[in-house]
């Protein structure tokens, strides 16, 4: 059972490299970057895993203030499980103190859903994480909607957000970052009622 003093591992899922930076599949990285900015940290290479990390504290002063490790696996999406498991073991993080932030096809653009556990819904990053360590981690599911017409899913997720989507993207990434802070400070039920749409 996890303790209140246990650290949290917040993982933004995405693909490394500038050519992927603005892709729909990289929205997890975007949220992780904003959270790092909020806690005043800069990502640097992890010692024990193929990932970039920032260590710090999140939340209001007092008992709700949490020790956090923000991470961006540098392994490509479909191999995320290896780096996340290495970080979990190195920092001694209980699995239910891990939060994966990822794009979600089955939710309309900009909608959020928070949950603990469950299936991977065909998401390769989650599939890899679940294979490595089971499914009992939190997910922040950031809706990107379904591809238009006959576009293949793989092409859609590896495309940048459209110009219309980009108008709202900053606000939506901000809201997703707020939901992570709420989850850590106030728990899953409170965060779900505030942010699930």
């Amino acid at each position: 059972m996890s303790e209140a003093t246990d650290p949290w591992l917040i993982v933004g899922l995405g693909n490394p490299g500038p050519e992927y930076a603005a892709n729909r599949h990289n929205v997890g990285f975007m949220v992780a970057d904003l959270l790092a900015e909020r806690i005043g940290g800069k990502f640097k290479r992890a010692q024990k895993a193929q990932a970039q990390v920032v260590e710090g504290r999140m939340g209001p002063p007092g008992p709700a203030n949490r020790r956090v490790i923000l991470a961006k696996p540098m392994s490509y999406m479909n191999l995320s499980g290896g780096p996340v498991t290495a970080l979990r073991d190195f920092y001694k993080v209980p699995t239910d103190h891990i939060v994966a932030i990822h794009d979600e096809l089955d939710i309309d653009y900009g909608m959020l859903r928070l949950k603990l556990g469950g299936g991977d819904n065909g998401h390769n990053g989650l599939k890899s994480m679940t294979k490595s360590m089971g499914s009992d981690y939190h997910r922040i599911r950031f809706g990107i909607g379904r591809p238009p017409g006959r576009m293949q899913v793989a092409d859609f997720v590896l495309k940048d957000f459209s110009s219309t989507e980009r108008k709202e993207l900053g606000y939506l990434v901000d809201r997703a970052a707020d939901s992570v802070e709420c989850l850590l400070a106030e728990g899953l039920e409170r965060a779900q009622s505030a942010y699930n749409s």
Side-chain angles (χ1 to χ4, degrees), residues 17-190:
E19 68 273 33
Y20 298 108
N23 288 180
R24 291 183 177 93
H25 224 17
N26 270 43
V27 75
F29 275 16
M30 296 172 199
V31 177
D33 286 338
L34 178 58
L35 287 167
E37 210 176 284
R38 288 184 182 185
I39 66 171
K42 284 210 183 321
F43 278 99
K44 53 184 190 291
R45 241 178 77 214
Q47 304 247 312
K48 303 287 178 187
Q50 194 181 353
Q52 290 185 350
V53 294
V54 175
E55 294 180 59
R57 299 199 76 84
M58 193 179 282
N65 190 263
R66 306 282 183 236
R67 181 175 162 229
V68 295
I69 301 100
L70 298 171
K72 298 191 293 187
M74 292 286 119
S75 59
Y76 290 103
M77 182 70 88
N78 59 345
L79 300 170
S80 302
V84 176
T85 304
L87 292 169
R88 178 198 68 177
D89 295 347
F90 179 70
Y91 289 105
K92 299 181 172 50
V93 180
T95 305
D96 67 353
H97 274 215
I98 296 172
V99 182
I101 308 162
H102 64 92
D103 58 307
E104 177 64 65
L105 287 159
D106 285 340
I107 302 173
D108 289 342
Y109 175 64
M111 303 280 123
L112 289 178
R113 299 270 167 79
L114 285 74
K115 68 179 210 171
L116 174 62
D120 56 54
N121 222 12
H123 192 287
N124 289 330
L126 298 182
K127 201 176 283 183
S128 177
M129 282 179 63
T130 297
K131 191 176 170 193
S132 289
M133 60 188 194
S135 63
D136 295 333
Y137 53 90
H138 288 85
R139 298 99 193 276
I140 310 271
R141 304 159 73 203
F142 186 109
I144 60 169
R146 284 259 155 209
R150 293 167 180 264
M151 188 189 286
Q152 294 295 311
V153 165
D155 295 334
F156 179 68
V157 298
L158 293 176
K159 277 203 177 351
D160 290 0
F161 285 100
S162 70
S163 54
T164 312
E165 288 169 335
R166 280 199 298 273
K167 288 180 183 140
E168 282 187 287
L169 186 59
Y171 163 75
L172 297 169
V173 166
D174 201 57
R175 192 165 177 270
D178 290 347
S179 78
V180 175
E181 293 186 348
C182 182
L183 169 65
L184 268 57
E186 301 184 51
L188 180 61
E189 277 183 34
R190 176 78 189 86

